[in-house]
Amino acid sequence: MPPFVRAKEEKCGICFVLWRVLRTFAIDKRHTIIMKELLLVCVGSFFGGGARYLVSKAIQTWLSVSFPWGTMTVNVVGCFLIGLLSGLSLSGQISPSTKLILVTGFCGGFTTFSTFMNENLLMGRDETVLPAILYTLSSLVLGLIAVVVGYQLVK
């Protein structure tokens, strides 16, 4: 058992439980590595999903409009974060494990492409085609700009 689990076993039972789960499904060293990576992605996704809910809800509550500003804000910020973190990863400034937890996990849980597409469909069904088109185009353009800015900040 790794030292971090032994040292915190009394304080953090979840570390012990997660380690036992990893060991149960790990057949050999390669599977242990895969399970560790999966755990990193899951932890990042947990926090990314929670952050998505909080940010989106706060924006929607603050603006009090039916247009999905919360989802668009989350997607643009997520694009920026993915650009920034991917740039840091490409330049070797963050480890592969950090990239897994932050890019694949956190940003994957934080961004909301499926919600974005569903909101577009619902806007189109409600015969509000122009707002749906504006929402799609502005999300794509702002998202692309945010990714580029994120990469540029790392250079």
Side-chain angles (χ1 to χ4, degrees), residues 19-45:
W19 176 250
R20 287 292 177 202
V21 168
L22 286 175
R23 295 301 299 157
T24 301
F25 293 107
I27 298 165
D28 56 24
K29 186 174 180 173
R30 183 175 58 89
H31 287 94
T32 302
I33 291 169
I34 290 169
M35 293 303 292
K36 176 188 168 209
E37 291 172 348
L38 175 62
L39 181 62
L40 291 173
V41 171
C42 289
V43 168
S45 296

Side-chain angles (χ1 to χ4, degrees), residues 14-148:
I14 194 153
C15 294
F16 180 74
V17 171
L18 290 173
W19 176 250
R20 287 292 177 202
V21 168
L22 286 175
R23 295 301 299 157
T24 301
F25 293 107
I27 298 165
D28 56 24
K29 186 174 180 173
R30 183 175 58 89
H31 287 94
T32 302
I33 291 169
I34 290 169
M35 293 303 292
K36 176 188 168 209
E37 291 172 348
L38 175 62
L39 181 62
L40 291 173
V41 171
C42 289
V43 168
S45 296
F46 172 81
F47 287 104
R52 174 184 68 225
Y53 171 77
L54 292 174
V55 169
S56 184
K57 191 77 164 167
I59 298 291
Q60 283 306 124
T61 302
W62 181 56
L63 293 176
S64 274
V65 293
S66 62
F67 189 80
W69 287 109
T71 303
M72 190 164 88
T73 300
V74 163
N75 285 336
V76 172
V77 169
C79 288
F80 169 76
L81 288 174
I82 285 173
L84 180 72
L85 294 167
S86 295
L88 288 171
S89 175
L90 286 173
S91 65
Q93 295 180 49
I94 61 172
S95 69
S97 293
T98 302
K99 182 181 179 193
L100 273 177
I101 199 168
L102 294 178
V103 175
T104 307
F106 184 84
C107 289
F110 185 70
T111 56
T112 57
F113 190 73
S114 57
T115 302
F116 164 68
M117 295 310 297
N118 187 51
E119 288 171 346
N120 273 291
L121 175 70
L122 294 175
M123 290 171 89
R125 278 188 182 168
D126 295 337
E127 298 181 15
T128 53
V129 177
L130 183 58
I133 291 170
L134 290 173
Y135 177 44
T136 301
L137 292 175
S138 59
S139 292
L140 293 172
V141 169
L142 291 172
L144 182 59
I145 290 169
V147 170
V148 170

